[in-house]
Amino acid sequence: MQRIAEDSENSDDYAESDDTLLGTDDILPSAAKVRPETSRVCRWASQSIRLTRLVLDRLLLLLGFAACVSGFVVFSGNFRNLEVYGGLSHWIKGGVFFWCGLLAHGRWIGAFADFGWAWNIKPKGKATRTPSLEFFESFFIWLYGASNVFLEHLSNWGGEWSATDFEHISITLLFFGGGLLGMLVESDGVRRMLDNALRSPPRKVSLNPIPPLTIMLLGLMMSSHHQQTELGTKLHSQWGLLFCGAAIFRLITLISLHHKPPSHQPSRPMTELVVAFCLTTGGILFMMSGRDSIAGLASSKIMAMTAFTATAGLSAVILSWEVVVFAIKGWAQKREPQWIGPDKPFSK
């Protein structure tokens, strides 16, 4: 026992001598001794990881939607050979309008209020340099018109231009001019020059009627667009009238905001609910109005009323689920621990 005690005392002496020789600072360097380059790299890496996570979180829905619709097309065997161009045209454009409806519904709920996109006054700070959502709408309208001028004739490449091709070309020219005019109206530089010339106070809320006017004209044209079958003509008339309704209610929203400007909080105009429903339903019907899709509906003896009713019900369910998701988000944020603040890397 005496020998064991002596060994333990010797081991303690060795440990004390090791600590004396090496020191704690030599084993574990303090934060003050970390090089500035290392801390800068760590900060950049943390910001890059957070930005990547945010981008992927917002792209997951779009990627899932693309996977679902492409899988449905492959499973059904539609859009083969030259019909692929018409299928891509209807499904891409219809999908864009479908997501515009979801975005309009999200704006009514209060999403993107930090950028002034929830029908509210844009808050001060970094968000003041962010363009309005109407600018992005005008940009995508212009981009569609600029790109599809040369893509409407792909299904009959090298052949004669038909009357239908010229109809589609006129629509692309409308979108090109309407989108360009909308971007000029939303441009901060152009607006400052106009304010200086007219000596008028700057606007705090974007009230741009050009995007809804362009969509309304598209709906009017498509509602009278002749098709080879009666079912195709009725489907085009249905989603064309829905787009007209969405544009009219969007114009009512702009008029109401002009008479009663909003505050910094989301205003939630009730007309935007109708806009969201019309765009979502019209987008799905747009996707269903392709030539192969119409042939499939006709072979299954599905009438236009059946397609419209099922699509309207599906749109209502999707919009309801969007409200539920945002409600769950608000419930979770309310019960979030107090020590997780907005400056934490993974608090949002």
Side-chain angles (χ1 to χ4, degrees), residues 63-125:
L63 294 176
F65 176 77
C68 290
V69 296
S70 59
F72 178 80
V73 170
V74 174
F75 178 78
S76 60
N78 289 337
F79 311 137
R80 297 184 178 181
N81 298 327
L82 292 179
E83 294 296 331
V84 66
Y85 298 111
L88 287 174
S89 175
H90 283 80
W91 282 66
I92 292 176
K93 298 171 189 176
V96 169
F97 282 107
F98 171 78
W99 281 98
C100 285
L102 296 183
L103 180 59
H105 193 49
R107 294 179 69 184
W108 178 85
I109 294 173
F112 308 107
D114 296 338
F115 301 103
W117 292 357
W119 305 110
N120 62 323
I121 297 177
K122 186 181 300 184
K124 297 180 180 180

Side-chain angles (χ1 to χ4, degrees), residues 82-215:
L82 292 179
E83 294 296 331
V84 66
Y85 298 111
L88 287 174
S89 175
H90 283 80
W91 282 66
I92 292 176
K93 298 171 189 176
V96 169
F97 282 107
F98 171 78
W99 281 98
C100 285
L102 296 183
L103 180 59
H105 193 49
R107 294 179 69 184
W108 178 85
I109 294 173
F112 308 107
D114 296 338
F115 301 103
W117 292 357
W119 305 110
N120 62 323
I121 297 177
K122 186 181 300 184
K124 297 180 180 180
K126 295 182 179 180
T128 56
R129 298 191 297 268
T130 305
S132 63
L133 190 58
E134 283 72 19
F135 178 84
F136 288 106
E137 290 178 352
S138 302
F139 171 75
F140 284 114
I141 290 174
W142 171 84
L143 182 63
Y144 165 76
S147 59
N148 277 262
V149 170
F150 307 100
L151 298 178
E152 293 291 349
H153 194 58
L154 287 178
S155 59
N156 192 21
W157 189 258
E160 295 182 356
W161 287 74
S162 62
T164 305
D165 294 333
F166 285 110
E167 288 178 358
H168 293 165
I169 289 296
S170 63
I171 295 174
T172 58
L173 292 177
L174 169 66
F175 272 60
F176 179 83
L180 181 60
L181 179 58
M183 287 191 295
L184 291 176
V185 172
E186 290 297 323
S187 175
D188 292 335
V190 174
R191 189 176 299 175
R192 282 194 298 268
M193 289 187 288
L194 293 176
D195 293 337
N196 294 332
L198 301 177
R199 297 180 180 179
S200 59
R203 293 183 307 173
K204 296 182 179 180
V205 182
S206 176
L207 301 176
N208 190 352
I210 301 301
L213 178 62
T214 306
I215 301 304

